[in-house]
């Protein structure tokens, strides 16, 4: 079990001996992961000026992140060469999402820190964990670290953090008081809100549009009491389609898909459903299903996913059974 660390003790080793650090994002880095890593790199640079910092993006980045990384460029770690004194995993959630870096963490004698807003599920991979589940982005946790270390982010870093925060908080719509306060501080530090909004806008991705429209065509509707549950299946973009089901008005969306012999299921729920029923999709559905069917998964109360080698149809049926345990009988609508 990682120690719940005191943020003011970051980076948990004497800055003067810190020569090389790696900040590692979750697989297919999103804007929150990459830009939080970018900001952590400046923080490490401010605390340990001689330190060389690499960012690692196992399995690459999303299209939007690629665009943002051109504006916030950073040295990217190549392959698995070299060892580091300090490893910081950021926005990772499930440690499986570190890909080959998980083994690198294990094998290295360096200091390993987790900075995250996803719940940390034990394990001994990290020596120190700075986790704030109430934060709506990893960037918000990183902002707190800057503050606790008495470092003011430079305008470019403030911009990166604000964009990460907007990206992960539906443009602050779901941010809490501390997220809003952090956003204002970043603006005071030189970040431009209008620019951040513009830069997060991306060209529609044809594959994503197609997946969402096909997903809508294939909807099956269930009711559990007054709750509306919608399911669908697509080969990719399951998370986007699940979110679309919520936009269309479902209280809970479940989207399955099979690729490379693996079934992926994404789940989304409204805040209203979570508050009224107490159901947490991450711990009570995604993690539970991964345990029952083999595989891995997790997430937040209203957004979660899992993958399993079990066939898609069996997986979806078993997940609907699990939802019945939590919400009551599901009646299929014709
Ligand atoms: Mn995040």
């Amino acid at each position: 079990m990682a120690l719940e660390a005191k943020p003011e003790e970051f980076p948990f080793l004497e800055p003067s001996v810190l020569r090389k650090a790696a900040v590692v994002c979750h697989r297919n880095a999103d804007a929150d992961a990459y830009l939080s890593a970018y900001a952590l790199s400046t923080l490490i640079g401010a605390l340990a000026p001689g330190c060389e910092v690499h960012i690692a993006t196992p399995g690459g980045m999303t299209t939007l992140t690629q665009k943002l990384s051109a504006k916030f460029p950073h040295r990217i770690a190549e392959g698995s060469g070299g060892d580091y004194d300090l490893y910081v995993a950021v926005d990772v959630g499930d440690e499986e999402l570190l890909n080959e870096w998980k083994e690198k963490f294990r094998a290295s004698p360096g200091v390993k820190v987790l900075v995250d807003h996803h719940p940390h599920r034990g394990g001994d991979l990290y020596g120190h964990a700075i986790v704030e589940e109430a934060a709506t982005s990893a960037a918000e946790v990183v902002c707190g670290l800057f503050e606790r270390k008495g470092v003011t982010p430079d305008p470019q870093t403030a911009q990166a953090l604000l964009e990460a925060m907007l990206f992960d908080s539906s443009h602050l719509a779901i941010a809490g008081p501390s997220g809003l306060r952090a956003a204002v501080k970043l603006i005071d530090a030189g970040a431009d809100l209008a620019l951040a909004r513009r830069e997060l806008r991306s060209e529609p991705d044809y594959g994503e549009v197609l997946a969402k429209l096909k997903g809508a065509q294939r909807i099956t509707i269930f009711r559990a009491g007054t709750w509306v549950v919608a399911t669908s299946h697509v080969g990719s973009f399951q998370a986007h389609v699940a979110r679309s089901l919520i936009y269309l008005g479902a209280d809970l969306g479940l989207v399955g898909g099979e690729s490379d012999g693996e079934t992926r299921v994404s789940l989304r729920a409204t805040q209203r459903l979570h508050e009224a029923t107490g159901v947490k999709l991450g711990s009570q559905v995604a993690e539970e299903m991964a345990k029952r069917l083999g595989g891995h998964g997790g997430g937040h109360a209203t957004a979660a996913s899992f993958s399993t080698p079990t066939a898609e149809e069996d997986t979806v049926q078993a997940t609907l059974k699990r939802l019945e345990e939590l919400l009551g009988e599901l009646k299929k609508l014709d």
Side-chain angles (χ1 to χ4, degrees), residues 137-266:
S137 58
E140 188 181 324
V141 183
V142 175
C143 282
L145 263 182
F146 269 88
E147 193 158 309
R148 299 294 274 277
K149 296 305 294 184
V151 178
T152 305
D154 62 82
Q156 169 87 345
T157 303
Q159 187 70 30
L161 284 168
L162 185 65
E163 292 185 15
M165 208 179 272
L166 291 185
F167 175 80
D168 242 15
S169 66
S170 302
H171 286 237
L172 299 179
I174 58 164
S178 80
L180 292 173
R181 247 177 246 124
V184 171
K185 279 179 194 154
L186 293 170
I187 292 164
D188 289 343
D192 181 331
L193 182 60
L195 178 67
R197 288 186 177 132
R198 259 199 322 274
E199 287 187 334
L200 287 174
R201 233 181 271 148
S202 47
E203 299 282 308
D205 179 294
Y206 178 69
E208 181 186 327
V209 170
L210 219 60
K212 287 200 277 203
L213 294 176
K214 279 188 189 166
Q217 253 173 349
R218 298 171 185 164
I219 291 175
T220 305
I221 308 166
F222 298 87
R223 293 203 85 182
T226 59
W227 301 115
V228 177
V229 174
T231 67
S232 186
H233 69 103
V234 283
S236 54
F237 296 104
Q238 286 89 3
H240 297 75
V241 176
R243 200 181 312 140
S244 304
L245 298 179
I246 301 298
Y247 291 146
L248 286 174
D251 297 294
L252 194 152
L254 182 166
V255 178
E258 229 171 44
S259 64
D260 303 325
E262 196 185 57
T263 298
R264 288 187 51 83
V265 172
S266 278

Side-chain angles (χ1 to χ4, degrees), residues 13-247:
L13 76 170
E14 191 48 50
S16 60
V17 303
L18 185 46
R19 293 276 169 268
K20 261 186 108 180
V23 186
V24 188
C25 305
H26 60 72
R27 126 181 4 148
N28 196 23
D30 67 5
D32 185 34
Y34 178 81
L35 295 174
S36 294
Y38 176 89
L40 277 169
S41 171
T42 29
L43 179 63
I44 294 166
L47 299 172
C51 182
E52 180 182 331
V53 187
H54 295 174
I55 290 178
T57 58
M61 320 171 169
T62 67
T63 316
L64 174 66
T65 313
Q66 274 170 32
K67 192 184 97 176
L68 293 169
S69 73
K71 202 199 144 200
F72 300 98
H74 196 283
R75 182 157 179 186
I76 302 290
E78 286 163 21
S80 54
D83 202 7
Y84 298 88
D85 312 311
L86 171 68
Y87 294 80
V88 185
V90 64
D91 197 36
V92 163
D94 190 327
E95 57 191 44
E96 291 304 321
L97 299 182
L98 290 169
N99 283 13
E100 70 276 13
W101 282 81
K102 185 180 169 185
E103 273 324 300
K104 219 167 144 45
F105 271 55
R106 279 223 186 289
S108 168
V111 171
K112 294 136 208 165
V113 184
L114 173 67
V115 177
D116 210 342
H117 66 122
H118 300 92
H120 178 238
R121 296 271 159 240
D124 56 2
L125 194 63
Y126 311 106
H128 311 270
I130 300 170
V131 174
E132 282 173 39
E133 285 184 46
T136 47
S137 58
E140 188 181 324
V141 183
V142 175
C143 282
L145 263 182
F146 269 88
E147 193 158 309
R148 299 294 274 277
K149 296 305 294 184
V151 178
T152 305
D154 62 82
Q156 169 87 345
T157 303
Q159 187 70 30
L161 284 168
L162 185 65
E163 292 185 15
M165 208 179 272
L166 291 185
F167 175 80
D168 242 15
S169 66
S170 302
H171 286 237
L172 299 179
I174 58 164
S178 80
L180 292 173
R181 247 177 246 124
V184 171
K185 279 179 194 154
L186 293 170
I187 292 164
D188 289 343
D192 181 331
L193 182 60
L195 178 67
R197 288 186 177 132
R198 259 199 322 274
E199 287 187 334
L200 287 174
R201 233 181 271 148
S202 47
E203 299 282 308
D205 179 294
Y206 178 69
E208 181 186 327
V209 170
L210 219 60
K212 287 200 277 203
L213 294 176
K214 279 188 189 166
Q217 253 173 349
R218 298 171 185 164
I219 291 175
T220 305
I221 308 166
F222 298 87
R223 293 203 85 182
T226 59
W227 301 115
V228 177
V229 174
T231 67
S232 186
H233 69 103
V234 283
S236 54
F237 296 104
Q238 286 89 3
H240 297 75
V241 176
R243 200 181 312 140
S244 304
L245 298 179
I246 301 298
Y247 291 146

Side-chain angles (χ1 to χ4, degrees), residues 270-313:
T270 56
Q271 193 65 25
R272 205 168 71 85
L273 180 134
H274 165 59
E275 278 167 18
T277 63
V279 169
K280 292 181 182 154
L281 294 180
S283 54
Q284 290 181 298
V285 184
E287 270 180 43
E288 177 63 26
M289 293 315 298
K291 209 187 300 167
R292 290 186 190 182
L293 300 174
H296 50 86
H300 304 282
T302 60
S305 65
F306 67 93
S307 54
T308 164
T310 306
E312 181 184 340
E313 206 180 309

